[in-house]
Amino acid sequence: MAEKYREFVALLKSAHRILAFTGAGISTGSGIPDFRGPDGVWKRRQPVYYHDFMTSEAARVEHWDFKLEGWPAFKAARPNKAHLAIVQLERAGKIEGVVTQNIDGLQTKAGTSPERLVELHGTNLSVECQNCGELSDPELHFAYFQKTRKPPVCHCGGYLKPATISFGQNLRAGHLERAYLAARNADLVLALGSTLSVYPAADIPLVAAREGIPYIIINRGPTEHDHLRECTLRLEGDVAGLLPAAVNAICGTSP
Ligand SMILES: [Zn+2]
């Protein structure tokens, strides 16, 4: 492990245009509810599909009720050392882009520049009108829903929905384009806390790696890219344990 860690630090040091691709494992310890675990919400609820949200008031009530349940935890969640280490890399001029599968908004809270960040699956920190696309703060909408049990509607008449990608809803084309652009420009790709099993998201680090640049995977537990020849270095463990120390070693102390 010590040898691998030294190699990791050396690769980070020589990189200037890093693509950081992050999954749920980076937010462990930040108070994010576990949707898939033994007490996960999917054990009690059926997800609402996008088509149903757009065509059924009952489905909209169910979706808002589900999102209301998770809101206090998402609102209170704070970025951890791993999110901050990515910001530190950006401030050192070493980040090309950060592409996250997470909807917790923690990379935004940590301070990653919006122009460098792609939240592929959307964010719980905004509400989006499904008609005009306007974004707004969730707080007022949750308060309204809690009081009235009516799903909020935009001033344009469109349905408002927390700005996360629902089951059956397409990823935003602009987001994918920006993510692929960052992948093609990168000189190092880091996959952090992702099992790399959800597509098309998991394709993005692979597109970068296939350009022939180093591909480093850090995750606790196996990933679907572990045995690909594109994987240069595989570190087993918690991202918040491994990444900050390496970043400090090359950039100095944390921000
Ligand atoms: Zn609207």
Side-chain angles (χ1 to χ4, degrees):
M1 189 71 185
E3 181 56 39
K4 278 188 172 186
Y5 185 75
R6 274 194 295 275
E7 192 183 344
F8 174 41
V9 173
L11 284 168
L12 270 188
K13 195 170 183 178
S14 57
H16 302 286
R17 300 184 309 278
I18 299 170
L19 170 69
F21 177 84
T22 69
I26 196 176
S27 295
T28 309
S30 282
I32 295 303
D34 182 0
F35 287 88
R36 296 197 178 86
D39 301 315
V41 71
W42 297 133
K43 297 281 188 277
R44 291 179 289 112
R45 286 189 185 261
Q46 290 290 319
V48 171
Y49 278 72
Y50 188 66
H51 175 78
D52 295 331
F53 183 92
M54 294 305 288
T55 53
S56 150
E57 181 76 357
R60 287 189 287 278
V61 169
E62 171 60 24
H63 190 62
W64 273 96
D65 193 51
F66 155 61
K67 286 294 186 177
L68 176 64
E69 187 183 341
W71 175 240
F74 276 109
K75 195 171 74 164
R78 289 290 165 260
N80 63 49
K81 283 181 180 174
H83 301 102
L84 295 170
I86 293 174
V87 175
Q88 200 179 346
L89 284 171
E90 183 184 342
R91 289 183 184 159
K94 290 167 98 54
I95 289 283
E96 176 70 22
V98 181
V99 177
T100 185
Q101 298 173 279
N102 299 337
I103 56 172
D104 53 37
L106 289 177
Q107 203 57 57
T108 297
K109 284 183 182 172
T112 291
S113 311
E115 65 272 18
R116 298 225 179 256
L117 179 65
V118 180
E119 293 170 309
L120 273 185
H121 297 153
T123 175
N124 267 329
L125 299 187
S126 277
V127 162
E128 184 180 35
C129 173
Q130 301 306 300
N131 180 46
C132 72
E134 187 176 279
L135 296 172
S136 48
D137 187 327
E139 191 68 57
L140 284 175
H141 303 306
F142 279 121
Y144 170 83
F145 176 75
Q146 196 161 25
K147 205 167 133 191
T148 64
R149 302 293 298 171
K150 287 195 177 95
V153 174
C154 182
H155 52 79
C156 80
Y159 301 131
L160 293 177
K161 185 167 104 44
T164 52
I165 302 295
S166 293
F167 287 91
Q169 182 178 5
N170 289 330
L171 301 191
R172 290 173 184 83
H175 284 192
L176 273 176
E177 270 170 35
R178 287 176 55 220
Y180 282 118
L181 187 65
R184 284 192 299 268
N185 287 339
D187 66 355
L188 174 79
V189 53
L190 279 177
L192 305 168
S194 172
T195 56
L196 299 164
S197 57
V198 177
Y199 284 84
D203 210 25
I204 289 156
L206 211 49
V207 163
R210 284 184 179 145
E211 299 280 324
I213 63 175
Y215 183 16
I216 304 169
I217 299 173
I218 306 179
N219 193 54
R220 182 181 275 162
T223 86
E224 292 201 3
H225 292 180
D226 289 351
H227 303 295
L228 298 183
R229 61 185 163 76
E230 285 85 357
C231 174
T232 314
L233 189 63
R234 172 67 169 88
L235 296 173
E236 172 63 31
D238 185 13
V239 182
L242 290 164
L243 182 67
V247 171
N248 279 337
I250 59 164
C251 299
T253 50
S254 32

